[in-house]
Amino acid sequence: MQYDRTDARILEIVQKNNRLTSEIIGELAGLSATACQRRLKRLRSDGIIEADVSIVSAKAVGRPIQMLVLVSLERERADIIDRFKKAIKSSAEVVNGFYVTGDADFVLYITSRTMEDYEQFTRRFFYENPDIKGFKTMVVMDRVKAGFAIPVEVPDAD
């Protein structure tokens, strides 16, 4: 996946606001709208831009309870890890899931309407899964920063 300085500028722009038109992005990056559209299409097809999303307030949509959950698996076998990854992907309650190193095997970001709903989720998602050794829940007191912007390294000029 290769990108140049102009692509890096486009990536910086769309990470701040992906609702801008190609004309505006192109103007900010020093390109025509058509050239900008071509580059955006390539950045998406190359997987450099993975998705175009909106960050929604969990509280505003009735899911004010937010948790970070550390999950430990019974055994670290490829089939168990793959099964749990599939379960994460198919769960609407799990907003983000990370396979990690350290004390836990996975870290999940989960939202819920109420603590009672979260308890029901834990019974269904964790307790009924024989591959789960244990989990620890940390309730989020305040979301200080929410985003997906990645610092973009500007490639050296050749």
Side-chain angles (χ1 to χ4, degrees), residues 3-12 151-157:
Y3 66 93
D4 62 18
R5 293 177 94 72
T6 304
D7 292 334
R9 178 70 181 128
I10 290 170
L11 292 170
E12 289 172 348
V152 179
E153 299 294 321
V154 178
D156 295 328

Side-chain angles (χ1 to χ4, degrees), residues 47-137:
I48 294 172
I49 295 177
E50 292 182 14
D52 294 288
V53 299
S54 295
I55 298 172
V56 175
S57 164
K59 290 177 187 175
V61 295
R63 299 187 69 81
I65 311 293
Q66 300 169 74
M67 286 82 45
L68 293 174
V69 181
L70 305 175
V71 182
S72 297
L73 299 178
E74 199 61 59
R75 286 175 273 351
E76 279 204 64
R77 273 191 353 228
D79 61 325
I80 292 173
I81 292 167
D82 291 343
R83 249 194 327 268
F84 193 64
K85 285 180 179 180
K86 188 175 180 180
I88 290 169
K89 289 176 183 177
S90 66
S91 171
E93 292 89 348
V94 179
V95 179
N96 285 297
F98 303 94
Y99 179 42
V100 298
T101 61
D103 293 338
D105 297 309
F106 287 86
V107 176
L108 309 180
Y109 168 59
I110 297 172
T111 65
S112 182
R113 291 181 310 139
T114 65
M115 284 308 289
E116 291 79 18
D117 284 349
Y118 178 63
E119 182 184 1
Q120 291 303 313
F121 170 79
T122 62
R123 289 172 188 251
R124 194 175 64 252
F125 197 78
F126 298 122
Y127 291 127
E128 292 178 7
N129 185 337
D131 296 329
I132 304 295
K133 179 181 183 179
F135 66 98
K136 292 181 183 177
T137 302

Side-chain angles (χ1 to χ4, degrees), residues 9-20 149:
R9 178 70 181 128
I10 290 170
L11 292 170
E12 289 172 348
I13 294 164
V14 297
Q15 284 191 104
K16 289 180 184 142
N17 184 354
N18 73 349
R19 295 182 63 198
L20 297 174

Side-chain angles (χ1 to χ4, degrees), residues 33-45:
T34 306
C36 181
Q37 286 173 341
R38 267 196 309 269
R39 283 177 179 260
L40 282 167
K41 183 178 180 182
R42 182 181 47 76
L43 290 167
R44 288 182 178 105
S45 67

